[in-house]
Amino acid sequence: MAKVLTLFVLRILMILLLTGWVSLWIIKPTTLWIQSWRQAEDTIKHTFIGYYGLNFAVFSFPPIALSIIGLIYLSLLSHHHHPARGGRKRALSVSRPAVINSVIGIVSCFEILALVLFMLFLAWTFYSRVSNDLKKLMPVKTMNLDLWQLKYFRVATRFGLLAEACLALLLFPVLRGLSMFRLLNIQFAATVKYHVWLGTGLIFFAFVHGGSTLFIWTITHHIEEEIWQWQRTGRVYVAGVISLVTGLVMWITSLPQIRRKKFEVFYYTHHLYVIFLVSFLFHAGDRHFYWILPGIFLFGLDKTLRIVQSRFESCILSARLFSCKAIELVLPKDPRLNYAPSSFIFVNIPSVSRFQWHPFSITSSSSVDKHTMSVMMKCEGQWTNSVYNKVEEAGISDNKISNITIRVEGPYGPASVDFLRYDNLFLVAGGIGITPFLSILQELACEHRLKSPKRVQLVFVVRSFQDINMLIPISSILINPINNLDLKIKVFVTQEKRHANGTTTLQEFLAQSQVLSIHLGTTNKGYSRFPILGPESFRWMAILVLTTMFMFVSLLIGLSHFFKPTEHRNHSPSMKLAASGAIKTAKEKVPSWIPDVVIIVSYVIAITTGGLAATILHWRRQHGETPRMSKEAVKPQEKNLTKRIQIDHIEEDGIHIGERPKFEEILSAFEKNLRGWSSMGVLVCGPETMKEAVASMCYQRSQCFGVESSGRSRMQMNLNFHSLNFNL
């Protein structure tokens, strides 16, 4: 009861913090707020915390505090809620597709609602600022501008505030260990598109802002003078040009046409974000920077924690090579490391490439495999082919390779086993998109689960017969049916007419399937003492965020007092008069580089300190008392691999040759035996065209926010669409 009350209180606190921070953004452009805030700054800037402490407390603290409370909430939730005890309930779906387009992808109803609200906020901000500027329109003293030029210049300036709003939210979707989207059970792979949307909006508004400003300067012949002049008002224009150029480079190289073909170009140019953010700070000034500081602070700490984890090495225990040019790697893990199905990890193999990291879905279940973790990759690129060849060489060579070193970051995934709340599951996989479903089906096979889906339909679409081999990791489930679970499998081979051996059923094909098992002998080399530990616990991450934040604030206040310019010291008498309303204080004009440098130095020292603390914690975990992994931990896999698979209960028409699935017909047949109210989770992972086809089916059957179509009165079927990604 105490935990339930604590969770409720934490939820209220998070709602209040989020509501307060959003409210600040809404009232920020109003004249009342601007005047009140100036008075507040003037009143407090000569106190110990100064205006810098006030800006941080009001603008930066709420999202950081939300992250800390969210981590504490997830820590308590993981202990309070257990899938074996949890029940299913009718839930309001937030992922139902509303827009299906080959360009923008699949957009849910709630995503459209959030997007509309954000655009209304941008319109409100722009209107408030521009209308206020046009009422008090005064000529620029340094430039002789016509009336239209002056109006255009003011409008272009306010586009910078819209870019600032996008930048304030830009980094939250790409947080991994510190992601707040897990509170909504939204995975990292789904939040990446929010980062893309915000980045596109940022570049658009920044381009209009910077391009229009440069245009006005050019036609008035002041461009060189204005760009190179170091302003005392916190507007370093050359820094703005640098920020705009680096932003354009990052945006162009992140376009799908470049990112998919030249991933290394995209990956390395994206590290220009350091130059972009520093240039933005010097261009906009420290007061504007406090609005976007929360995302930068959490991203920097999240990146540091990921670097700390990825520095520790482990080894591949064994591998399985499939004839379809796919490979499954078995890695050692701490038995105390638990992860939800559909989680993924980032993998680096130094002997293949020291700098390339690639994400892969986890195919195993931590409820089943306590000592090992498995990932499967399809060899379709240079890096994956190199891994396949290296492992194959280790298997056939007389001089056995003793170990293959690997670095792992993650796992990352949903905070809860979301799919368990459904009565039925309709799984659609295309090719290597089967990987997250391998983990889900193994999770369903756990006998200790009291509540789980009762019927599962798996539709597996492949190009060739050889690709069916990717079902072998769940062969034990196919051999021994799961108690109280009706599992049906349909396989569609689209680009072959018949198998070379004449097999036409899944039973016949899997009976003839064999894979090559390779053990690298690492269990005898001591690498099992260094299993994959995973990220720090939610509790420790909350402590790290809190400690790093206090370090940053202490340095910010201390260094600001030490390097305080003279303009900050000589206004005490006037400040008393200003506070009483006797006089109006002039706008403070100080060189912008002093508070900017203070922010940079404080940030670097605080994040470095957080990284050192994380390193100590990870080292203690690695060298602490970790249960050792026995040699038998891997041997059961070997037994399953060396024998032919015998299956009796798979339906004879399990393989459909030379045709594509008709999802509507399959779903209708799956629904025939359902009675009364029933919820169904529709999960799809594969090519975008397949996702769009399944999303269209769900869109036709139901409407946004849980409102069912009128034609579904005969059966209360609640379809809940979820799109999973096997790559990022």
Side-chain angles (χ1 to χ4, degrees), residues 318-346:
S318 61
R320 292 194 280 187
L321 303 181
F322 300 91
S323 57
C324 60
K325 290 293 288 184
I327 179 173
E328 183 183 37
L329 304 180
V330 180
L331 315 175
K333 83 170 185 68
D334 190 313
R336 295 167 293 190
L337 173 60
N338 296 314
Y339 49 86
S342 74
S343 297
F344 65 95
I345 60 175
F346 285 82

Side-chain angles (χ1 to χ4, degrees), residues 468-489:
I468 304 177
N469 285 337
M470 288 185 283
L471 289 175
I472 290 179
I474 57 171
S475 59
S476 59
I477 298 176
L478 302 179
I479 296 173
N480 302 308
I482 305 172
N483 293 330
N484 300 321
L485 178 67
D486 183 7
L487 174 62
K488 296 183 180 297
I489 301 178

